[in-house]
Amino acid sequence: MVKKDILKSLIMEFYIWKLPEVIDRDITLPSDSNKIISVVGPRRTGKTYLLFQHIHRLLKNGLPKEKCFYLNFEDERLDLTNNELDLILQVYRELYPDIDLSECYFFFDEVQNVDGWERFVRRIYDSISKNVFITGSNSKLLGEEIATSLRGRTIKYKVLPLSFKEFLRFKRFVFNSKRDLYDSGKKSRLINMFSEYFIYGGFPEIVFLSEDLKIKTIQEYFEVMIYRDIAERYGIKDTLVLKYFLKRLVENTTKNLSVYKIYNELKSQGMKVGKDTLYKYLDYVQNVYMIKLLKKHHHSIIKTEFAEKKVYLIDNGFLKSIRAMGREDFGILLENMVFHELSCKYDNIVYFKGRKECDFVLDDNIVLQVCYDLSNPETAKREIEGLKEACKYFGKNKGYIITYDEKYHINENGIDIFVLPAYDLAVTGSLE
């Protein structure tokens, strides 16, 4: 059978192939969870390499490579229907008849490319091996439907663009925050690297590209997300409206989002689209992890869900490559970057708005503003007043203002305010 021969070639290629060296991410996948491990996230964020990272660890701990089964379902040579998925197991047994499959680890990369993958993966998990790992970049696999598809058998791990700490690791730059902040040479290198991360973001491939290729590559990522992950997946034919909608989301980064306002703009330009369609587009864009919405704090859960929300892009590189940004927009870049850093560490993030506004409240416990530069007295007064109001509301006696490169401490009406540079937060991973 031709398909069997192709499968045998793909399987043997993996065993002959030397696994690429990997730079460890902060995420570590579990080995014996007795759950299907689902690795999800935007395109080009390193989901496949996270699988390789785990395979490296298994091999280092003594597992024979033949007991690690890896298959990339995006390989153009692999053309299986849902009725042919069992060929994978048949071929594996023919190649390694003496191996007990219950001891094997199965890694299925981009598994959503074959219809019926859910039943196949469930069957392996239920009757063959508890060691199953899958990745996917399709919006269906990225969304909440994955829990339904695998019926409580899975634990989901989300892979996002690099944090700044991971970025430094990719650059092979070791920085000890307690010691090296006082080394002018190392601190200067740190700030230079932070500037690069600040502008171009943390997609892993971008770290190693020359400056002239960074923006072009990120623009390509954006186009693929639009046409393949959204338009193709959801059958959107009028991509002109979709692209306009995305452009407006990018322009509204760190600001309150009004779908109704965008609807009226389109209507005034003679573009026919319903408000419900735009709300669907908003869901699609979140499904592929292009944006994340930040909710406003309310005591009422219902009010929080339906209140106005702010828009943040998944990576600063998207902002810089899609939207023309001058120095006057650096505050937007900084706030977007800080939100990405915080969302890697905190699950519960909201913004506060009373008489004044405060950018982030973390776990109802940490109150935080972001401001690129506090040198203007009016700007400093506005940020401090917003922070003080939020601190009083949440009963806190301290808060933080994250800047680009300022560090000092002040006390305002009994509230300790710590002004910190963003690279300090990013390197230490802590506000303390």
Side-chain angles (χ1 to χ4, degrees):
M1 292 177 64
V2 174
K3 290 189 177 181
K4 269 195 169 186
D5 291 337
I6 292 172
L7 273 169
K8 285 181 179 178
S9 295
L10 292 174
I11 292 169
M12 291 309 299
E13 280 179 12
F14 172 72
Y15 293 127
I16 295 170
W17 179 53
K18 182 181 178 182
L19 276 172
E21 292 298 320
V22 296
I23 302 171
D24 287 349
R25 298 290 300 268
D26 288 343
I27 302 173
T28 301
L29 301 180
S31 292
D32 301 303
S33 66
N34 284 322
K35 291 283 189 178
I36 298 167
I37 302 301
S38 305
V39 180
V40 300
R43 289 182 175 274
R44 310 304 298 172
T45 51
K47 295 182 294 298
T48 297
Y49 271 71
L50 190 63
L51 294 188
F52 291 160
Q53 177 181 315
H54 192 65
I55 292 171
H56 270 293
R57 198 164 88 241
L58 290 171
L59 299 181
K60 187 177 180 180
N61 290 335
L63 187 75
K65 194 174 184 181
E66 292 77 14
K67 290 188 177 181
C68 289
F69 180 98
Y70 172 84
L71 193 61
N72 181 2
F73 284 82
E74 273 204 330
D75 194 306
E76 77 282 357
R77 295 168 292 176
L78 192 63
D79 184 23
L80 297 176
T81 65
N82 59 343
N83 294 323
E84 296 171 323
L85 284 169
D86 191 63
L87 289 176
I88 294 170
L89 296 176
Q90 292 179 31
V91 167
Y92 193 34
R93 286 188 177 105
E94 289 174 12
L95 288 172
Y96 299 100
D98 297 328
I99 287 180
D100 182 351
L101 295 189
S102 67
E103 299 174 357
C104 293
Y105 288 73
F106 291 88
F107 297 87
F108 298 128
D109 209 354
E110 304 292 354
V111 70
Q112 81 286 337
N113 283 298
V114 180
D115 291 335
W117 66 267
E118 305 99 319
R119 294 189 300 276
F120 176 65
V121 169
R122 286 200 306 265
R123 179 163 66 89
I124 290 179
Y125 174 78
D126 289 339
S127 61
I128 296 174
S129 173
K130 297 298 183 187
N131 305 310
V132 182
F133 300 76
I134 64 174
T135 77
S137 295
N138 176 281
S139 56
K140 180 178 179 181
L141 192 58
L142 296 177
E144 293 305 315
E145 290 178 13
I146 190 171
T148 303
S149 299
L150 298 177
R151 299 177 186 173
R153 297 169 172 85
T154 186
I155 299 175
K156 187 165 61 176
Y157 285 79
K158 189 190 303 182
V159 182
L160 298 174
L162 304 173
S163 67
F164 183 56
K165 196 174 181 181
E166 290 176 317
F167 177 87
L168 294 180
R169 194 179 302 145
F170 272 55
K171 288 285 192 179
R172 308 289 187 187
F173 181 64
V174 178
F175 189 86
N176 184 309
S177 58
K178 293 181 179 180
R179 181 188 65 235
D180 295 337
L181 280 173
Y182 304 98
D183 182 327
S184 59
K186 292 203 79 171
K187 185 176 178 180
S188 176
R189 288 183 62 197
L190 175 74
I191 294 173
N192 285 336
M193 290 186 186
F194 180 75
S195 177
E196 180 184 341
Y197 178 78
F198 175 73
I199 296 295
Y200 298 109
F203 280 101
E205 181 185 18
I206 301 304
V207 176
F208 304 107
L209 295 179
S210 60
E211 192 169 321
D212 61 319
L213 291 178
K214 290 180 188 291
I215 294 295
K216 291 180 181 178
T217 303
I218 296 170
Q219 288 172 340
E220 183 66 24
Y221 292 171
F222 193 76
E223 292 292 312
V224 171
M225 282 187 172
I226 292 174
Y227 291 108
R228 186 169 179 184
D229 289 346
I230 301 176
E232 184 180 310
R233 165 68 178 89
Y234 293 106
I236 299 171
K237 295 181 180 178
D238 191 353
T239 55
L240 183 63
V241 171
L242 175 63
K243 290 191 79 170
Y244 181 87
F245 182 70
L246 291 173
K247 180 174 180 286
R248 295 294 287 117
L249 291 181
V250 172
E251 290 171 352
N252 276 281
T253 301
T254 75
K255 298 182 177 66
N256 288 327
L257 172 67
S258 172
V259 173
Y260 186 73
K261 184 178 179 181
I262 298 174
Y263 165 75
N264 283 332
E265 290 173 5
L266 288 164
K267 189 177 177 181
S268 68
Q269 296 178 38
M271 293 177 156
K272 294 183 178 180
V273 61
K275 288 193 291 291
D276 289 344
T277 298
L278 294 182
Y279 278 109
K280 286 180 181 177
Y281 286 0
L282 185 61
D283 285 339
Y284 302 160
V285 176
Q286 290 178 85
N287 285 346
V288 299
Y289 298 105
M290 191 178 284
I291 68 163
K292 190 168 183 178
L293 298 181
L294 181 66
K295 297 174 183 176
K296 179 182 175 182
H297 168 79
H298 282 283
H299 282 305
S300 166
I301 295 176
I302 293 176
K303 284 185 178 180
T304 297
E305 288 299 321
F306 288 97
E308 56 197 9
K309 299 175 178 65
K310 288 186 176 183
V311 181
Y312 292 88
L313 281 186
I314 192 65
D315 186 74
N316 269 20
F318 275 155
L319 262 174
K320 184 64 177 176
S321 62
I322 298 162
R323 172 180 169 181
M325 303 193 80
R327 188 173 181 82
E328 67 277 7
D329 299 310
F330 278 8
I332 295 171
L333 280 168
L334 185 66
E335 186 176 334
N336 194 75
M337 191 217 76
V338 170
F339 178 70
H340 171 60
E341 290 287 324
L342 295 174
S343 62
C344 291
K345 301 174 180 67
Y346 297 91
D347 293 325
N348 180 21
I349 308 176
V350 295
Y351 75 94
F352 170 81
K353 190 171 184 180
R355 290 181 299 104
K356 305 289 184 180
E357 188 169 307
C358 184
D359 294 322
F360 304 117
V361 181
L362 317 174
D363 296 337
D364 290 341
N365 185 47
I366 300 173
V367 182
L368 186 149
Q369 289 277 49
V370 179
C371 183
Y372 184 80
D373 180 5
L374 288 173
S375 60
N376 184 306
E378 290 184 9
T379 301
K381 181 179 178 182
R382 183 187 68 239
E383 299 296 334
I384 290 170
E385 289 300 314
L387 187 72
K388 284 164 55 181
E389 184 180 354
C391 284
K392 290 176 182 177
Y393 178 90
F394 288 95
K396 303 300 171 184
N397 59 9
K398 70 176 177 180
Y400 302 87
I401 302 178
I402 306 302
T403 65
Y404 187 80
D405 191 21
E406 297 173 59
K407 186 171 185 175
Y408 55 88
H409 164 254
I410 58 175
N411 186 284
E412 286 265 340
N413 304 121
I415 296 175
D416 286 311
I417 298 174
F418 298 90
V419 178
L420 300 173
Y423 56 78
D424 201 349
L425 165 67
V427 168
T428 63
S430 172
L431 288 160
E432 301 301 328

